Amino acid sequence: MKKNSITKNYIYNLIYQLFLIIIPLFTTPYLTRVLGAEKLGIYSYTYSIVTILFLIAAIGINTYGQREIAYHQDNKKKRSIIFIELMIIRTFSTVFSLLLLILFSLLASRYSIYYQIFSIYIIANLFDITWYYQGVENFKSIAIKNIIVKFFYFISIFLFIKTKKDLGIYILLFSLSTLITNLSFWLKINKQIELPKKQEINPKRHLKYVITFFIPQVASLIYSVLDATMIGLLDSDIKNVSYYEQASYIVKTTLVIITTMGSVMISKVSYAFSKNQKEKIVEYLEEIIHFVWLIGCALAFGIAAIINNFVPWYYGIKYLKVIPIVYVLCPLIIIIGLNNVIGIQYLIPTKKQNTYVLAVVSGAIFNFIFNFILIKKISALGAAVASVGAELFILLIELYFVKKEIPNLKMMKHSKKYLLFGILMFLITYQIGKFLPQNILGSLIQILIGSIIYLSLLIISKDQFITEHIIPYTKNIFKRRNR
Protein backbone atom coordinates (compact mmCIF):
# COMPACT_ATOMS: atom_id res chain seq x y z
CA MET A 1 0.00 0.00 0.00
CA LYS A 2 1.23 3.46 -0.90
CA LYS A 3 2.30 5.41 2.20
CA ASN A 4 2.21 9.19 2.50
CA SER A 5 5.03 11.08 4.17
CA ILE A 6 4.76 12.32 7.74
CA THR A 7 4.80 15.92 6.46
CA LYS A 8 1.91 15.38 4.02
CA ASN A 9 -0.21 13.53 6.56
CA TYR A 10 0.49 16.18 9.17
CA ILE A 11 -0.46 18.99 6.79
CA TYR A 12 -3.73 17.30 5.79
CA ASN A 13 -4.61 16.62 9.40
CA LEU A 14 -3.54 20.10 10.51
CA ILE A 15 -5.61 21.81 7.80
CA TYR A 16 -8.70 19.97 9.00
CA GLN A 17 -8.01 20.66 12.68
CA LEU A 18 -7.34 24.34 11.98
CA PHE A 19 -10.62 24.47 10.07
CA LEU A 20 -12.33 23.14 13.20
CA ILE A 21 -10.71 26.01 15.13
CA ILE A 22 -11.66 28.66 12.57
CA ILE A 23 -15.37 27.73 12.66
CA PRO A 24 -15.79 28.46 16.40
CA LEU A 25 -13.74 31.65 16.00
CA PHE A 26 -16.68 33.02 14.02
CA THR A 27 -19.57 31.13 15.60
CA THR A 28 -18.68 31.47 19.29
CA PRO A 29 -19.06 35.28 19.53
CA TYR A 30 -22.37 34.93 17.70
CA LEU A 31 -23.62 32.09 19.91
CA THR A 32 -22.54 33.72 23.18
CA ARG A 33 -24.67 36.72 22.28
CA VAL A 34 -27.65 34.93 20.72
CA LEU A 35 -27.97 31.94 23.07
CA GLY A 36 -26.37 33.56 26.12
CA ALA A 37 -24.28 32.15 28.96
CA GLU A 38 -27.17 30.23 30.54
CA LYS A 39 -28.14 28.32 27.37
CA LEU A 40 -24.50 27.62 26.52
CA GLY A 41 -24.03 26.42 30.07
CA ILE A 42 -26.91 23.97 29.56
CA TYR A 43 -25.33 22.86 26.28
CA SER A 44 -21.94 22.32 27.94
CA TYR A 45 -23.53 20.37 30.79
CA THR A 46 -25.70 18.09 28.62
CA TYR A 47 -22.89 17.61 26.12
CA SER A 48 -20.55 16.52 28.92
CA ILE A 49 -23.05 13.77 29.83
CA VAL A 50 -23.59 12.73 26.20
CA THR A 51 -19.84 12.61 25.61
CA ILE A 52 -19.55 9.93 28.29
CA LEU A 53 -22.17 7.85 26.46
CA PHE A 54 -20.46 8.56 23.14
CA LEU A 55 -17.26 7.21 24.62
CA ILE A 56 -19.06 4.06 25.74
CA ALA A 57 -20.28 3.62 22.16
CA ALA A 58 -16.75 4.06 20.81
CA ILE A 59 -15.41 1.64 23.50
CA GLY A 60 -11.74 2.33 22.77
CA ILE A 61 -11.92 1.21 19.15
CA ASN A 62 -10.63 4.43 17.55
CA THR A 63 -7.08 4.27 18.89
CA TYR A 64 -6.88 0.49 19.07
CA GLY A 65 -8.35 0.10 15.58
CA GLN A 66 -5.91 2.60 14.09
CA ARG A 67 -2.98 0.75 15.64
CA GLU A 68 -4.14 -2.68 14.49
CA ILE A 69 -4.88 -1.51 10.95
CA ALA A 70 -1.46 0.19 10.86
CA TYR A 71 0.22 -3.10 11.82
CA HIS A 72 -1.34 -4.72 8.73
CA GLN A 73 -1.24 -1.88 6.20
CA ASP A 74 0.29 -4.21 3.62
CA ASN A 75 -2.17 -7.08 4.11
CA LYS A 76 -5.67 -6.40 2.76
CA LYS A 77 -7.14 -9.66 4.04
CA LYS A 78 -5.97 -9.20 7.65
CA ARG A 79 -7.01 -5.56 7.87
CA SER A 80 -10.42 -6.48 6.36
CA ILE A 81 -10.99 -9.11 9.06
CA ILE A 82 -9.97 -6.63 11.77
CA PHE A 83 -12.33 -4.00 10.32
CA ILE A 84 -15.35 -6.34 10.30
CA GLU A 85 -14.64 -7.65 13.80
CA LEU A 86 -14.32 -4.19 15.30
CA MET A 87 -17.48 -2.98 13.56
CA ILE A 88 -19.43 -5.85 15.12
CA ILE A 89 -18.21 -4.83 18.58
CA ARG A 90 -19.00 -1.18 17.85
CA THR A 91 -22.57 -2.02 16.79
CA PHE A 92 -23.32 -3.65 20.15
CA SER A 93 -21.64 -0.87 22.16
CA THR A 94 -23.52 1.85 20.24
CA VAL A 95 -26.91 0.19 20.80
CA PHE A 96 -26.10 -0.16 24.51
CA SER A 97 -25.07 3.50 24.73
CA LEU A 98 -28.21 4.61 22.91
CA LEU A 99 -30.41 2.70 25.37
CA LEU A 100 -28.59 4.40 28.27
CA LEU A 101 -29.24 7.81 26.71
CA ILE A 102 -32.94 7.07 26.28
CA LEU A 103 -33.15 5.98 29.91
CA PHE A 104 -31.25 9.04 31.08
CA SER A 105 -33.51 11.38 29.07
CA LEU A 106 -36.57 9.88 30.77
CA LEU A 107 -35.06 10.33 34.23
CA ALA A 108 -33.57 13.81 33.63
CA SER A 109 -36.81 15.51 32.64
CA ARG A 110 -35.32 19.01 32.96
CA TYR A 111 -33.16 18.68 29.83
CA SER A 112 -34.77 15.57 28.30
CA ILE A 113 -35.49 17.20 24.92
CA TYR A 114 -31.80 18.02 24.46
CA TYR A 115 -30.71 14.49 25.35
CA GLN A 116 -33.20 13.10 22.83
CA ILE A 117 -31.78 15.26 20.06
CA PHE A 118 -28.26 14.17 21.03
CA SER A 119 -29.31 10.57 20.25
CA ILE A 120 -28.45 11.33 16.61
CA TYR A 121 -24.91 12.09 17.75
CA ILE A 122 -24.68 8.69 19.46
CA ILE A 123 -25.99 6.93 16.34
CA ALA A 124 -23.36 8.78 14.29
CA ASN A 125 -20.69 7.02 16.31
CA LEU A 126 -21.63 3.67 14.75
CA PHE A 127 -20.60 4.91 11.31
CA ASP A 128 -17.32 6.50 12.38
CA ILE A 129 -14.54 4.62 10.57
CA THR A 130 -11.93 7.37 10.52
CA TRP A 131 -9.74 5.02 12.58
CA TYR A 132 -9.46 2.77 9.52
CA TYR A 133 -8.39 5.62 7.24
CA GLN A 134 -5.88 6.79 9.85
CA GLY A 135 -4.49 3.27 10.10
CA VAL A 136 -3.82 3.12 6.35
CA GLU A 137 -2.50 6.73 6.52
CA ASN A 138 -5.20 8.22 4.29
CA PHE A 139 -5.50 11.55 6.10
CA LYS A 140 -6.34 13.40 2.89
CA SER A 141 -9.75 11.73 2.61
CA ILE A 142 -10.53 12.45 6.27
CA ALA A 143 -9.65 16.13 5.91
CA ILE A 144 -11.54 16.82 2.67
CA LYS A 145 -14.82 15.15 3.66
CA ASN A 146 -14.86 16.69 7.13
CA ILE A 147 -14.15 20.17 5.81
CA ILE A 148 -16.96 20.03 3.24
CA VAL A 149 -19.60 18.96 5.78
CA LYS A 150 -18.36 21.29 8.51
CA PHE A 151 -18.55 24.22 6.08
CA PHE A 152 -22.30 23.65 5.60
CA TYR A 153 -22.66 23.25 9.38
CA PHE A 154 -20.95 26.61 9.81
CA ILE A 155 -23.36 28.33 7.38
CA SER A 156 -26.38 26.65 8.99
CA ILE A 157 -25.60 28.12 12.41
CA PHE A 158 -26.08 31.67 11.12
CA LEU A 159 -29.14 30.70 9.08
CA PHE A 160 -31.09 28.86 11.79
CA ILE A 161 -29.86 30.06 15.21
CA LYS A 162 -31.66 33.35 15.88
CA THR A 163 -32.87 33.40 19.53
CA LYS A 164 -32.26 31.77 22.91
CA LYS A 165 -35.00 29.28 22.08
CA ASP A 166 -32.87 27.76 19.32
CA LEU A 167 -30.55 25.69 21.53
CA GLY A 168 -32.29 22.51 20.36
CA ILE A 169 -31.70 23.47 16.72
CA TYR A 170 -28.02 24.09 17.47
CA ILE A 171 -27.67 20.60 18.99
CA LEU A 172 -29.52 19.11 15.99
CA LEU A 173 -27.18 20.82 13.50
CA PHE A 174 -24.14 19.62 15.40
CA SER A 175 -25.41 16.03 15.60
CA LEU A 176 -26.49 15.86 11.94
CA SER A 177 -23.15 17.23 10.71
CA THR A 178 -21.36 14.46 12.63
CA LEU A 179 -23.67 11.79 11.20
CA ILE A 180 -23.35 12.99 7.60
CA THR A 181 -19.56 13.20 7.86
CA ASN A 182 -19.27 9.67 9.19
CA LEU A 183 -21.62 8.28 6.54
CA SER A 184 -19.50 9.84 3.80
CA PHE A 185 -16.55 7.59 4.71
CA TRP A 186 -18.54 4.51 3.71
CA LEU A 187 -18.90 5.53 0.07
CA LYS A 188 -15.66 3.87 -1.08
CA ILE A 189 -14.89 1.51 1.80
CA ASN A 190 -15.77 -1.50 -0.41
CA LYS A 191 -12.60 -0.79 -2.39
CA GLN A 192 -10.51 -0.81 0.77
CA ILE A 193 -11.65 -4.11 2.29
CA GLU A 194 -12.87 -7.54 1.21
CA LEU A 195 -15.53 -9.57 2.99
CA PRO A 196 -13.87 -12.42 4.92
CA LYS A 197 -15.34 -15.87 5.43
CA LYS A 198 -17.67 -16.30 8.40
CA GLN A 199 -15.34 -18.76 10.14
CA GLU A 200 -12.49 -16.21 9.95
CA ILE A 201 -14.37 -13.66 12.04
CA ASN A 202 -13.81 -13.66 15.80
CA PRO A 203 -14.70 -10.32 17.46
CA LYS A 204 -14.15 -11.72 20.96
CA ARG A 205 -10.37 -11.73 20.49
CA HIS A 206 -10.39 -7.92 20.52
CA LEU A 207 -12.57 -7.39 23.61
CA LYS A 208 -9.70 -7.51 26.11
CA TYR A 209 -7.75 -4.90 24.17
CA VAL A 210 -10.58 -2.48 23.35
CA ILE A 211 -11.53 -2.46 27.03
CA THR A 212 -7.88 -1.76 27.90
CA PHE A 213 -8.01 1.25 25.57
CA PHE A 214 -11.45 2.22 26.84
CA ILE A 215 -10.32 2.57 30.47
CA PRO A 216 -7.89 5.49 29.95
CA GLN A 217 -10.44 7.24 27.74
CA VAL A 218 -13.01 7.08 30.50
CA ALA A 219 -10.40 8.26 32.98
CA SER A 220 -9.51 11.16 30.68
CA LEU A 221 -13.10 12.34 30.84
CA ILE A 222 -12.77 12.88 34.57
CA TYR A 223 -10.20 15.62 34.04
CA SER A 224 -11.67 17.02 30.79
CA VAL A 225 -15.37 16.66 30.01
CA LEU A 226 -16.39 15.84 33.57
CA ASP A 227 -14.84 19.11 34.76
CA ALA A 228 -17.91 20.80 33.32
CA THR A 229 -20.19 18.20 34.86
CA MET A 230 -18.67 18.64 38.32
CA ILE A 231 -18.88 22.43 38.12
CA GLY A 232 -22.54 22.06 37.17
CA LEU A 233 -23.17 19.77 40.13
CA LEU A 234 -21.05 21.52 42.78
CA ASP A 235 -21.61 25.16 41.79
CA SER A 236 -25.07 26.75 42.02
CA ASP A 237 -24.31 29.16 39.15
CA ILE A 238 -24.60 27.31 35.80
CA LYS A 239 -22.82 30.22 34.09
CA ASN A 240 -19.51 29.08 35.57
CA VAL A 241 -19.73 25.97 33.39
CA SER A 242 -19.79 28.22 30.34
CA TYR A 243 -16.85 30.32 31.61
CA TYR A 244 -14.77 27.19 32.16
CA GLU A 245 -15.73 25.67 28.81
CA GLN A 246 -14.82 28.82 26.89
CA ALA A 247 -11.47 29.13 28.68
CA SER A 248 -10.77 25.47 28.07
CA TYR A 249 -11.74 25.91 24.42
CA ILE A 250 -9.23 28.74 23.94
CA VAL A 251 -6.37 26.69 25.35
CA LYS A 252 -7.20 23.22 24.08
CA THR A 253 -8.09 24.18 20.51
CA THR A 254 -4.59 25.54 20.02
CA LEU A 255 -3.33 22.14 21.15
CA VAL A 256 -4.38 20.63 17.81
CA ILE A 257 -1.27 22.14 16.24
CA ILE A 258 0.72 19.80 18.48
CA THR A 259 -1.59 16.81 19.00
CA THR A 260 -2.47 16.59 15.30
CA MET A 261 0.95 15.05 14.87
CA GLY A 262 -0.14 12.30 17.28
CA SER A 263 -2.76 10.91 14.89
CA VAL A 264 -0.12 10.70 12.18
CA MET A 265 2.63 9.23 14.35
CA ILE A 266 0.53 6.38 15.82
CA SER A 267 0.44 4.77 12.40
CA LYS A 268 4.11 5.51 11.67
CA VAL A 269 5.39 4.20 15.02
CA SER A 270 3.03 1.20 14.89
CA TYR A 271 4.29 0.25 11.44
CA ALA A 272 7.94 0.71 12.52
CA PHE A 273 7.26 -1.42 15.62
CA SER A 274 5.73 -4.19 13.50
CA LYS A 275 8.97 -4.21 11.46
CA ASN A 276 11.13 -4.10 14.65
CA GLN A 277 12.69 -0.76 13.62
CA LYS A 278 13.60 0.46 17.13
CA GLU A 279 16.08 3.10 15.98
CA LYS A 280 13.41 4.58 13.71
CA ILE A 281 10.98 4.83 16.62
CA VAL A 282 13.52 6.71 18.79
CA GLU A 283 14.26 9.04 15.88
CA TYR A 284 10.56 9.82 15.48
CA LEU A 285 10.14 10.52 19.20
CA GLU A 286 13.13 12.85 19.50
CA GLU A 287 11.88 14.95 16.60
CA ILE A 288 8.36 15.21 18.00
CA ILE A 289 9.52 16.12 21.53
CA HIS A 290 11.62 18.90 20.00
CA PHE A 291 8.55 20.05 18.05
CA VAL A 292 6.36 20.08 21.19
CA TRP A 293 8.73 22.37 23.10
CA LEU A 294 9.16 24.76 20.18
CA ILE A 295 5.45 25.14 19.35
CA GLY A 296 4.15 24.59 22.89
CA CYS A 297 6.07 27.48 24.43
CA ALA A 298 5.04 29.78 21.60
CA LEU A 299 1.36 28.95 22.04
CA ALA A 300 1.27 28.92 25.87
CA PHE A 301 3.03 32.25 26.37
CA GLY A 302 1.36 33.75 23.29
CA ILE A 303 -2.16 33.07 24.56
CA ALA A 304 -1.27 34.41 28.00
CA ALA A 305 0.02 37.62 26.38
CA ILE A 306 -3.11 38.42 24.35
CA ILE A 307 -5.94 37.06 26.51
CA ASN A 308 -6.64 40.35 28.38
CA ASN A 309 -7.39 42.14 25.11
CA PHE A 310 -9.01 39.16 23.39
CA VAL A 311 -11.83 38.20 25.77
CA PRO A 312 -13.68 41.59 26.00
CA TRP A 313 -14.27 41.96 22.25
CA TYR A 314 -14.55 38.26 21.38
CA TYR A 315 -16.88 36.97 24.10
CA GLY A 316 -18.24 40.22 25.46
CA ILE A 317 -17.72 42.10 28.70
CA LYS A 318 -19.83 39.54 30.63
CA TYR A 319 -17.16 36.87 30.07
CA LEU A 320 -14.22 38.54 31.89
CA LYS A 321 -14.15 35.61 34.34
CA VAL A 322 -12.70 33.56 31.49
CA ILE A 323 -9.36 35.45 31.68
CA PRO A 324 -7.93 34.09 35.00
CA ILE A 325 -9.04 30.57 34.07
CA VAL A 326 -7.08 30.81 30.81
CA TYR A 327 -3.94 31.90 32.69
CA VAL A 328 -4.14 28.78 34.86
CA LEU A 329 -4.81 26.45 31.90
CA CYS A 330 -2.02 27.72 29.59
CA PRO A 331 0.65 25.25 30.87
CA LEU A 332 -1.59 22.42 29.63
CA ILE A 333 -0.43 23.14 26.08
CA ILE A 334 3.10 21.98 26.86
CA ILE A 335 2.18 19.29 29.39
CA ILE A 336 -0.49 17.62 27.26
CA GLY A 337 1.81 17.89 24.25
CA LEU A 338 4.49 15.85 26.07
CA ASN A 339 1.89 13.43 27.43
CA ASN A 340 0.65 12.90 23.89
CA VAL A 341 4.15 12.01 22.68
CA ILE A 342 4.86 9.48 25.42
CA GLY A 343 1.40 7.98 25.86
CA ILE A 344 -0.31 8.13 22.48
CA GLN A 345 2.69 8.13 20.15
CA TYR A 346 4.94 5.70 22.03
CA LEU A 347 3.29 3.53 24.69
CA ILE A 348 0.22 2.60 22.63
CA PRO A 349 1.95 1.75 19.31
CA THR A 350 4.58 -0.34 21.14
CA LYS A 351 1.94 -2.36 23.05
CA LYS A 352 2.76 -0.80 26.43
CA GLN A 353 -0.78 0.45 26.91
CA ASN A 354 -0.96 -0.91 30.47
CA THR A 355 1.55 1.74 31.55
CA TYR A 356 -0.54 4.36 29.76
CA VAL A 357 -3.68 3.10 31.51
CA LEU A 358 -1.97 3.29 34.92
CA ALA A 359 -0.82 6.87 34.30
CA VAL A 360 -4.17 8.15 33.02
CA VAL A 361 -6.26 6.43 35.68
CA SER A 362 -3.95 7.83 38.39
CA GLY A 363 -4.32 11.29 36.90
CA ALA A 364 -8.09 10.93 36.77
CA ILE A 365 -8.27 10.00 40.45
CA PHE A 366 -6.00 12.95 41.26
CA ASN A 367 -8.21 15.30 39.25
CA PHE A 368 -11.49 14.00 40.69
CA ILE A 369 -10.30 14.48 44.26
CA PHE A 370 -8.96 17.98 43.72
CA ASN A 371 -11.98 18.96 41.62
CA PHE A 372 -14.21 18.00 44.53
CA ILE A 373 -12.10 20.07 46.93
CA LEU A 374 -11.30 23.12 44.80
CA ILE A 375 -14.55 23.66 42.86
CA LYS A 376 -16.40 24.17 46.13
CA LYS A 377 -13.87 26.84 47.12
CA ILE A 378 -13.00 28.69 43.91
CA SER A 379 -15.47 27.28 41.36
CA ALA A 380 -14.25 27.04 37.74
CA LEU A 381 -10.78 28.27 38.67
CA GLY A 382 -10.47 25.24 40.96
CA ALA A 383 -11.31 22.90 38.08
CA ALA A 384 -8.56 24.54 36.04
CA VAL A 385 -5.97 24.06 38.81
CA ALA A 386 -7.02 20.41 39.21
CA SER A 387 -6.73 19.77 35.45
CA VAL A 388 -3.19 21.15 35.23
CA GLY A 389 -2.15 19.18 38.31
CA ALA A 390 -3.64 15.97 36.89
CA GLU A 391 -1.87 16.27 33.54
CA LEU A 392 1.43 17.02 35.26
CA PHE A 393 0.94 14.00 37.52
CA ILE A 394 0.36 11.81 34.45
CA LEU A 395 3.51 13.16 32.79
CA LEU A 396 5.63 12.37 35.85
CA ILE A 397 4.34 8.79 35.98
CA GLU A 398 4.98 8.25 32.27
CA LEU A 399 8.49 9.73 32.54
CA TYR A 400 9.29 7.30 35.34
CA PHE A 401 8.29 4.22 33.33
CA VAL A 402 9.97 5.24 30.05
CA LYS A 403 13.20 6.65 31.49
CA LYS A 404 15.22 3.79 29.97
CA GLU A 405 13.75 4.07 26.47
CA ILE A 406 13.40 7.88 26.49
CA PRO A 407 15.93 9.44 28.90
CA ASN A 408 14.41 12.39 30.74
CA LEU A 409 17.32 14.56 29.65
CA LYS A 410 16.13 14.22 26.07
CA MET A 411 12.68 15.38 27.15
CA MET A 412 14.12 18.51 28.77
CA LYS A 413 16.99 19.10 26.31
CA HIS A 414 15.32 21.99 24.48
CA SER A 415 13.07 23.27 27.28
CA LYS A 416 15.27 26.05 28.72
CA LYS A 417 15.78 27.85 25.42
CA TYR A 418 12.14 27.76 24.38
CA LEU A 419 10.89 28.72 27.85
CA LEU A 420 13.22 31.74 27.78
CA PHE A 421 12.05 32.74 24.29
CA GLY A 422 8.43 32.33 25.38
CA ILE A 423 8.89 34.53 28.46
CA LEU A 424 10.60 37.27 26.43
CA MET A 425 7.81 37.18 23.85
CA PHE A 426 5.17 37.31 26.59
CA LEU A 427 6.70 40.32 28.40
CA ILE A 428 7.01 42.43 25.27
CA THR A 429 3.66 41.44 23.71
CA TYR A 430 1.74 41.85 26.97
CA GLN A 431 3.12 45.35 27.56
CA ILE A 432 2.36 46.43 23.99
CA GLY A 433 -1.19 45.17 24.46
CA LYS A 434 -1.79 47.81 27.16
CA PHE A 435 -1.56 50.51 24.48
CA LEU A 436 -3.73 48.74 21.89
CA PRO A 437 -7.53 48.85 21.53
CA GLN A 438 -9.53 45.86 22.74
CA ASN A 439 -10.79 44.80 19.34
CA ILE A 440 -9.90 42.37 16.57
CA LEU A 441 -7.26 44.70 15.11
CA GLY A 442 -5.53 45.07 18.48
CA SER A 443 -5.41 41.29 18.96
CA LEU A 444 -4.09 40.73 15.44
CA ILE A 445 -1.31 43.27 16.04
CA GLN A 446 -0.36 41.50 19.28
CA ILE A 447 -0.31 38.11 17.53
CA LEU A 448 1.83 39.49 14.69
CA ILE A 449 4.31 41.14 17.07
CA GLY A 450 4.56 38.04 19.26
CA SER A 451 5.12 35.80 16.22
CA ILE A 452 7.85 38.07 14.85
CA ILE A 453 9.63 38.17 18.22
CA TYR A 454 9.55 34.38 18.72
CA LEU A 455 10.54 33.58 15.15
CA SER A 456 13.36 36.13 15.24
CA LEU A 457 14.76 34.57 18.40
CA LEU A 458 14.67 31.14 16.72
CA ILE A 459 16.50 32.41 13.63
CA ILE A 460 19.10 34.36 15.62
CA SER A 461 19.83 31.28 17.76
CA LYS A 462 20.05 29.13 14.57
CA ASP A 463 17.50 26.74 16.01
CA GLN A 464 18.09 23.16 14.88
CA PHE A 465 14.44 22.42 14.10
CA ILE A 466 14.13 25.53 11.92
CA THR A 467 17.37 24.93 10.01
CA GLU A 468 16.79 21.19 9.47
CA HIS A 469 13.04 21.10 8.77
CA ILE A 470 11.31 24.44 8.14
CA ILE A 471 13.90 26.18 5.95
CA PRO A 472 14.59 23.14 3.69
CA TYR A 473 10.84 22.48 3.31
CA THR A 474 10.20 26.14 2.42
CA LYS A 475 13.01 26.09 -0.15
CA ASN A 476 11.52 22.99 -1.78
CA ILE A 477 8.15 24.71 -2.14
CA PHE A 478 9.72 27.71 -3.86
CA LYS A 479 11.75 25.45 -6.16
CA ARG A 480 8.59 23.65 -7.28
CA ARG A 481 6.81 26.93 -7.99
CA ASN A 482 9.74 28.24 -10.04
CA ARG A 483 9.85 25.16 -12.27
Side-chain angles (χ1 to χ4, degrees), residues 60 97 102 106 200 225 249 256 269 272 298 305 343 362 392 457 480-481:
S97 182
I102 293 171
L106 294 174
E200 294 177 318
V225 176
Y249 161 76
V256 300
V269 175
S362 299
L392 184 59
L457 290 170
R480 290 173 186 172
R481 288 184 176 180

Side-chain angles (χ1 to χ4, degrees), residues 29 42 60 104 152 159 177 222 281 304 324 330 364 379 397 408 418 434 437 444 455 481:
I42 293 172
F104 194 83
F152 286 103
L159 289 177
S177 68
I222 295 177
I281 294 173
C330 275
S379 188
I397 294 174
N408 293 348
Y418 295 129
K434 293 180 178 180
L444 288 174
L455 186 59
R481 288 184 176 180

Side-chain angles (χ1 to χ4, degrees), residues 41-216:
I42 293 172
Y43 170 79
S44 298
Y45 177 69
T46 54
Y47 179 66
S48 68
I49 300 294
V50 171
T51 301
I52 298 172
L53 299 177
F54 188 87
L55 199 62
I56 293 172
I59 199 171
I61 285 176
N62 287 355
T63 305
Y64 172 73
Q66 181 184 354
R67 188 190 75 175
E68 294 302 301
I69 295 296
Y71 284 158
H72 304 288
Q73 287 182 34
D74 302 325
N75 191 321
K76 186 176 182 179
K77 182 178 180 180
K78 285 187 176 180
R79 70 173 190 263
S80 296
I81 293 173
I82 292 169
F83 176 81
I84 297 298
E85 290 172 336
L86 293 181
M87 284 307 302
I88 291 172
I89 295 173
R90 192 157 198 153
T91 300
F92 282 101
S93 63
T94 302
V95 171
F96 177 70
S97 182
L98 190 60
L99 291 174
L100 287 178
L101 179 61
I102 293 171
L103 178 62
F104 194 83
S105 67
L106 294 174
L107 296 175
S109 58
R110 186 179 180 185
Y111 303 131
S112 61
I113 183 62
Y114 303 126
Y115 290 120
Q116 290 169 21
I117 299 172
F118 266 127
S119 64
I120 299 172
Y121 182 60
I122 299 296
I123 294 171
N125 176 80
L126 175 61
F127 302 99
D128 180 14
I129 55 172
T130 52
W131 50 271
Y132 175 85
Y133 286 90
Q134 290 171 338
V136 296
E137 300 185 45
N138 187 356
F139 288 86
K140 180 179 180 180
S141 181
I142 297 173
I144 292 174
K145 290 177 180 178
N146 269 289
I147 288 173
I148 291 172
V149 176
K150 294 301 181 184
F151 175 76
F152 286 103
Y153 164 65
F154 168 74
I155 299 298
S156 298
I157 288 176
F158 294 99
L159 289 177
F160 299 107
I161 311 300
K162 299 295 183 181
T163 69
K164 291 183 177 180
K165 297 179 180 180
D166 294 334
L167 176 59
I169 298 175
Y170 175 57
I171 294 173
L172 179 63
L173 292 173
F174 168 73
S175 300
L176 283 175
S177 68
T178 305
L179 177 61
I180 293 170
T181 301
N182 291 346
L183 286 173
S184 70
F185 290 110
W186 286 82
L187 295 177
K188 295 183 179 181
I189 193 64
N190 61 314
K191 296 181 180 180
Q192 296 282 325
I193 63 170
E194 57 187 31
L195 289 177
K197 296 177 182 178
K198 187 176 180 180
Q199 58 268 28
E200 294 177 318
I201 301 174
N202 181 23
K204 292 181 180 179
R205 68 190 181 95
H206 297 288
L207 286 176
K208 173 185 175 181
Y209 301 103
V210 296
I211 291 173
T212 301
F213 279 79
F214 175 64
I215 292 172

Side-chain angles (χ1 to χ4, degrees), residues 37-38 40-46 48 225-248 319 322 325 379-380:
E38 182 178 353
L40 286 179
I42 293 172
Y43 170 79
S44 298
Y45 177 69
T46 54
S48 68
V225 176
L226 281 188
D227 284 344
T229 305
M230 293 185 73
I231 296 171
L233 292 172
L234 299 175
D235 193 317
S236 59
D237 190 354
I238 194 70
K239 291 180 181 179
N240 284 319
V241 178
S242 182
Y243 299 143
Y244 180 82
E245 285 292 284
Q246 300 310 323
S248 181
Y319 278 79
V322 168
I325 302 174
S379 188

